[in-house]
Amino acid sequence: MEARLEQYIHAVIRWLPDPVLSLLALLVAFVLGLVAHKVTFRVLTRLAENRDLFWRSLVQRTRRPLRLAILTWTLSLGVAVAPLSSSQASVLRHILLLCFIVLVGWMARTALHIWMTVYLRRFKLDAEDNLLARKHVTQSRIMERVAATLIVALTLAAVIMTFPAARQYGVSLLASAGVAGIVVGLALQPGLKDLIAGI
């Protein structure tokens, strides 16, 4: 019975044209990715229930990035299995690479925001003597914006560098972001010392 079923499936697969098979493979990979994301998110939610606020917030805020990560992984497997031409597979792999780069930047930006939010919760701005708290909050917000800008610049540079014709612009942007980071870091050195001392 199983041998007949296997023969029937092979006969159907041989009858289907390659574009249809490719579409079916990618569709199956997409559905498997959604199912895997649902299961993984539930497991992570359970694991983070008894952890501190940072990890609980990180799991909740990275639900969509996690979905993108799992879909990128399953679709890359679908591209490897699907009977695509070399040009089609190259284009899809490039798109998945762009998704991965954006995903890393997205998660880094989200983790930075959550960490800064949790850190600033210890400072009470409604207190009577809140000068030190306001100072820390202001410095922390400035450094968060600088770090977020650097993350966006690095992500954009990495995206541009995946295109051979525009790779030199990505390298220039990457170098500019590094120089800007050094300059801003030196300018905010007193604030960084206060922030690290506060941590």
Side-chain angles (χ1 to χ4, degrees), residues 7-184:
Q7 291 177 356
Y8 176 76
I9 293 174
H10 282 302
V12 171
I13 290 176
R14 283 196 299 268
W15 176 77
L16 291 173
D18 286 349
V20 176
L21 284 176
S22 301
L23 185 61
L24 287 175
L26 295 176
L27 182 61
V28 170
F30 184 80
V31 173
L32 288 177
L34 292 179
V35 174
H37 167 259
K38 191 172 183 179
V39 174
T40 305
F41 184 74
R42 285 187 177 181
V43 172
L44 291 176
T45 302
R46 292 280 182 88
L47 292 175
E49 282 180 351
N50 298 324
R51 304 296 295 271
D52 55 26
L53 179 61
F54 173 78
W55 292 106
R56 295 198 307 271
S57 301
L58 185 64
V59 170
Q60 294 298 323
R61 293 288 299 271
T62 56
R63 181 172 187 169
R64 288 184 292 178
L66 178 63
R67 184 188 298 122
L68 178 60
I70 294 177
L71 286 176
T72 301
W73 176 62
T74 56
L75 286 174
S76 64
L77 296 178
V79 170
V81 172
L84 298 165
S85 64
S86 59
S87 60
Q88 291 172 337
S90 178
V91 169
L92 288 177
R93 288 193 184 99
H94 189 226
I95 293 173
L96 292 173
L97 176 61
L98 295 179
C99 290
F100 176 76
I101 294 172
V102 172
L103 170 69
V104 172
W106 189 2
M107 295 193 74
R109 176 68 183 88
T110 302
L112 172 67
H113 178 71
I114 293 173
W115 179 82
M116 190 61 67
T117 301
V118 173
Y119 169 74
L120 292 179
R121 284 171 64 93
R122 67 182 68 184
F123 299 105
K124 305 297 183 182
L125 295 178
D126 54 352
E128 185 174 345
D129 185 13
N130 62 356
L131 179 61
L132 181 61
R134 287 189 287 109
K135 180 181 177 182
H136 271 286
V137 169
T138 302
Q139 292 174 346
S140 301
R141 291 301 183 193
I142 292 174
M143 284 183 281
E144 180 188 3
R145 291 176 184 175
V146 171
T149 302
L150 290 176
I151 290 173
V152 172
L154 292 174
T155 303
L156 183 59
V159 168
I160 294 175
M161 289 174 64
T162 62
F163 298 92
R167 186 164 295 170
Q168 58 181 354
Y169 300 106
V171 174
S172 300
L173 182 59
L174 192 63
S176 300
V179 172
I182 294 173
V183 171
V184 173

